[in-house]
Amino acid sequence: MSPRRNRQRVGAQPTERVDGDRYGLERTEEWRGEEWVVRQVAGAGAAKHYRCPGCDQEIPPGVPHVVSWPRHGDVDDRRHWHRACWKARDRRSARLQRSRNAPRY
């Protein structure tokens, strides 16, 4: 078996990166009578801490997750969900009770 080549071959063209690949593909889903835009975020694209509205737990940087917002909503309406929480959103409540000491991110 010959060793693997780690160098680019002479004359090879670098591949172009489309902005759509960086953020993932968007799709539209209907939920509670409203259209939602849903985008999958890869672990490499997740650079900040987010708070999942489904489980009220933190999504650390580097963890793949889902970003969703109403089709006719504003940028401030985007929410970052764990993938499992997004799939189980009908079984979970977004109105969780927090204790007085809990952080409000």
Side-chain angles (χ1 to χ4, degrees):
M1 178 182 283
S2 62
R4 195 169 106 186
R5 290 186 184 179
N6 291 328
R7 292 176 287 176
Q8 284 187 344
R9 294 181 183 169
V10 177
Q13 298 293 328
T15 58
E16 292 184 26
R17 185 174 183 149
V18 181
D19 286 340
D21 290 346
R22 178 177 176 198
Y23 297 113
L25 297 175
E26 294 180 359
R27 66 181 185 278
T28 304
E29 293 184 16
E30 189 171 331
W31 182 46
R32 294 185 179 172
E34 194 173 359
E35 285 188 354
W36 289 75
V37 179
V38 180
R39 180 186 293 162
Q40 300 282 336
V41 178
K48 293 174 28 181
H49 288 272
Y50 298 103
R51 176 74 54 180
C52 176
C55 65
D56 200 37
Q57 298 294 313
E58 192 173 272
I59 303 173
V63 173
H65 61 278
V66 174
V67 179
S68 65
W69 64 93
R71 169 58 91 193
H72 302 290
D74 196 30
V75 175
D76 295 334
D77 296 334
R78 289 185 300 188
R79 296 292 174 256
H80 296 255
W81 297 68
H82 292 105
R83 288 181 181 172
C85 294
W86 176 252
K87 290 179 183 177
R89 65 190 177 275
D90 291 329
R91 297 187 308 263
R92 296 180 185 228
S93 171
R95 298 182 187 127
L96 295 171
Q97 297 284 331
R98 293 190 184 112
S99 68
R100 291 183 182 180
N101 316 14
R104 298 182 185 264
Y105 296 135

